[in-house]
Amino acid sequence: MKITIFGTGYVGLVTGTCLAEVGNDVLCMDIDQKKIDQLNQGVIPIYEPGLEAMVKENYQSGRLRFTSDAKMAVEHGLFQFIAVGTPPDEDGSADLQYVLSVAKAIAEHVTEYRIVVDKSTVPVGTADKVKSLIETALTARGVDIEFDVVSNPEFLKEGSAIADFMKPDRIIIGTDNPRTTELLKALYTPFNRSHERIIDMDVRSAELTKYAANAMLATKISFMNELANLAEHLGADIERVRNGIGADSRIGYHFIYPGCGYGGSCFPKDVKALERTAKELGYQAELLGAVERVNERQKHVLFNKIHQHFNGQLKGKTFALWGLSFKPKTDDMREAPSRVLLEALIDAGVTVQAYDPEALAEAKRIYGNKAGLVLCKTQTEALNNADALCVVTEWKNFWSPDFAQLKLKLKAAVVFDGRNLYEPKQLKAAGLTYYCIGRPVTSSVSG
Ligand SMILES: NC(=O)c1ccc[n+]([C@@H]2O[C@H](COP(=O)([O-])OP(=O)(O)OC[C@H]3O[C@@H](n4cnc5c(N)ncnc54)[C@H](O)[C@@H]3O)[C@@H](O)[C@H]2O)c1
């Protein structure tokens, strides 16, 4: 089938590549000419495991092509996927300017039947907006061309995006037109082989389903972080509590890890946008507001522990920081807790020596030559002359460091762990003081 994808970011590039992988003829369009040039030269602008090889293979086969030409893009695909960003506006609502500009481009160039498939995460009612924008533009052009607008939200996770797309938990198709449902079902047949994964519904429910999923996951995280903070006051160990509640199959072990807050391009903005949607309708979404506030507070928890440990005497100190991306296996630093911590440390006069396996280039892009920030090529280099170590992202490379070496290197012999990666007893035995989330502090000094 002929498919056009607008937007070659984390979602668009993965979607286009996976659809080409199963034999479709895919044209990806982006307004970012630099990105398109890079892709045409075989340079993948993002880090996503397995993506580079798959893009190259499909590019070479001719099934996957890249352009910045909107007209060519609209002429190409029966399916016109919208996979552009929907960042938060100043008031927290989703900024739809990129989605609507794609709709405009489609309306301007369309000459025959098209199915506009919205994959971006958009507020309920956006499909209606896209539809009326295209209708108005077609009327202005004086043409009568049939089209449909479908909501097909994406649930892939950065870091395992290809596997998630190739073997999705579910494929949500939101449309009020049964013919379009059938066409999309046909498109998704290769991803629906082992069992039925397609759930079709009306457009508005499909749009809400995406927000509901992200809000639910964010709620689980904030709930655990709230309890972790409480556990610290109570002298309880949240890791034991986590095991204790996870054993209940109604709760389960997924997504109940306490930490230094969630980040990324989705949870923060989607929770805010859903709350904003509710507000616009005159409904106060109490829980969503709390989820957001708990998370914002949680991003400061590590800094508060650091500040307290050093009695506020941070000026002139050097800290190693392991992990910049908002989660492992991605270079995405959007809303990453690492940013809140490193900025607070630098503001307090600390030199931060940061290391990340994949996000160094992204950190450089964001911070340039920011005073107080040193980007290190290895995790060991980040420890040189450091007083303390902070771990913010649970990359596998950080799971089992040489604690004896840490003790030798860290002048203040203290580790602040925002992901509860280590066994407190082990650090204590190595002579390190260990702070993590929701567990008692283990100090090498107190014996
Ligand atoms: N990143 C994720 O893990 C994820 C998962 C599920 C859903 N989503 C949703 O998918 C959407 C895209 O997210 P992303 O992370 O891929 O965004 P991204 O920022 O990585 O990529 C967006 C791309 O769209 C391009 N673009 C902007 N306007 C354009 C236009 N008019 N025509 C063509 N291209 C245009 C940008 O240049 C950019 O390359 C968002 O709504 C997001 O919430 C993201």
Side-chain angles (χ1 to χ4, degrees):
M1 294 189 191
K2 286 190 157 196
I3 298 160
T4 294
I5 314 272
F6 286 92
T8 55
Y10 289 88
V11 168
L13 189 56
V14 170
T15 301
T17 308
C18 291
L19 288 170
E21 176 79 5
V22 297
N24 294 296
D25 177 4
V26 180
L27 181 62
C28 293
M29 188 275 175
D30 205 292
I31 48 168
D32 185 339
Q33 186 63 48
K34 197 172 144 217
K35 228 180 220 187
I36 292 299
D37 292 343
Q38 281 181 327
L39 286 161
N40 278 321
Q41 286 154 19
V43 178
I44 313 302
I46 53 167
Y47 172 73
E48 181 60 45
L51 184 61
E52 187 169 350
M54 214 163 152
V55 169
K56 284 185 176 162
E57 207 182 296
N58 283 286
Y59 185 81
Q60 272 155 19
S61 75
R63 287 192 302 268
L64 180 64
R65 289 172 298 133
F66 302 100
T67 185
S68 54
D69 184 335
K71 184 168 182 283
M72 191 175 150
V74 178
E75 280 169 1
H76 177 77
L78 165 64
F79 298 95
Q80 303 271 312
F81 277 83
I82 305 180
V84 297
T86 46
D89 225 334
E90 274 159 27
D91 62 3
S93 61
D95 180 353
L96 289 178
Q97 63 166 308
Y98 306 104
V99 170
L100 297 179
S101 82
V102 174
K104 239 182 252 170
I106 295 171
E108 195 181 326
H109 300 296
V110 68
T111 52
E112 57 187 315
Y113 177 63
R114 291 290 177 256
I115 303 170
V116 180
V117 187
D118 191 3
K119 223 174 213 329
S120 297
T121 303
V122 291
V124 176
T126 301
D128 292 342
K129 271 192 191 153
V130 166
K131 195 171 173 193
S132 87
L133 187 152
I134 298 176
E135 268 165 5
T136 309
L138 292 181
T139 309
R141 276 177 60 196
V143 291
D144 183 14
I145 301 162
E146 208 190 335
F147 69 97
D148 281 302
V149 181
V150 182
S151 167
N152 172 222
E154 181 51 54
F155 297 92
L156 63 76
K157 301 180 285 297
E158 287 175 25
S160 57
I162 291 175
D164 290 344
F165 195 95
M166 297 303 284
K167 285 192 172 163
D169 299 325
R170 75 291 214 189
I171 300 162
I172 304 281
I173 299 176
T175 166
D176 305 320
N177 181 345
R179 186 183 62 164
T180 322
T181 309
E182 288 316 307
L183 285 166
L184 270 143
K185 279 187 174 172
L187 176 72
Y188 277 115
T189 300
F191 309 94
N192 195 35
R193 292 236 179 266
S194 70
H195 61 274
E196 186 57 55
R197 295 175 162 108
I198 293 175
I199 305 171
D200 58 294
M201 55 180 81
D202 61 282
V203 180
R204 286 182 166 248
S205 302
E207 289 173 330
L208 184 56
T209 299
K210 175 65 193 175
Y211 282 101
N214 277 356
M216 177 62 148
L217 294 170
T219 302
K220 287 183 93 171
I221 297 173
S222 276
F223 174 81
M224 271 323 265
N225 285 336
E226 185 91 293
L227 281 197
N229 297 339
L230 195 52
E232 287 181 13
H233 286 287
L234 295 168
D237 182 340
I238 195 69
E239 288 301 327
R240 289 172 184 247
V241 177
R242 181 175 66 78
N243 274 297
I245 62 170
D248 183 332
S249 62
R250 293 169 304 174
I251 297 174
Y253 292 106
H254 289 299
F255 260 79
I256 56 167
Y257 288 93
C260 52
Y262 60 76
S265 67
C266 294
F267 291 179
K269 81 169 170 62
D270 293 349
V271 171
K272 273 188 212 128
L274 189 55
E275 193 194 355
R276 183 71 207 173
T277 298
K279 202 168 176 183
E280 280 166 13
L281 296 167
Y283 178 75
Q284 194 69 30
E286 302 285 355
L287 186 57
L288 298 177
V291 168
E292 161 75 8
R293 284 193 302 279
V294 167
N295 192 55
E296 281 309 307
R297 190 178 58 184
Q298 200 66 14
K299 286 183 176 177
H300 295 275
V301 157
L302 273 190
F303 180 77
N304 294 342
K305 288 177 193 279
I306 292 166
H307 194 268
Q308 204 175 0
H309 177 83
F310 288 99
N311 293 317
Q313 307 295 305
L314 292 173
K315 202 165 190 272
K317 297 223 166 349
T318 299
F319 274 51
L321 188 148
W322 285 356
L324 289 164
S325 57
F326 84 93
K327 68 172 183 178
K329 295 193 198 169
T330 180
D331 58 354
D332 197 339
M333 285 180 63
R334 286 177 281 187
E335 307 260 355
S338 66
R339 295 172 68 164
V340 174
L341 178 62
L342 80 83
E343 286 165 25
L345 287 170
I346 291 169
D347 284 350
V350 170
T351 298
V352 176
Q353 299 182 159
Y355 168 73
D356 188 282
E358 293 296 338
L360 290 174
E362 180 62 1
K364 179 83 185 159
R365 191 189 66 78
I366 296 168
Y367 290 110
N369 295 320
K370 186 177 174 66
L373 176 64
V374 182
L375 299 174
C376 301
K377 289 197 178 65
T378 66
Q379 65 194 78
T380 313
E381 188 187 320
L383 299 170
N384 286 341
N385 285 317
D387 292 278
L389 166 67
C390 307
V391 185
V392 187
T393 316
E394 65 276 31
W395 282 97
K396 282 213 173 88
N397 326 30
F398 307 150
W399 285 13
S400 187
D402 180 342
F403 294 118
Q405 188 202 34
L406 285 185
K407 162 71 177 155
L408 283 177
K409 288 223 158 204
L410 300 174
K411 286 186 267 179
V414 56
V415 174
F416 298 91
D417 174 5
R419 299 293 167 194
N420 288 3
L421 293 184
Y422 309 128
E423 189 44 58
K425 276 188 205 148
Q426 241 183 316
L427 278 90
K428 188 175 176 174
L432 291 157
T433 298
Y434 180 51
Y435 290 84
C436 49
I437 309 290
R439 316 185 78 177
V441 182
T442 42
S443 170
S444 57
V445 184
S446 61

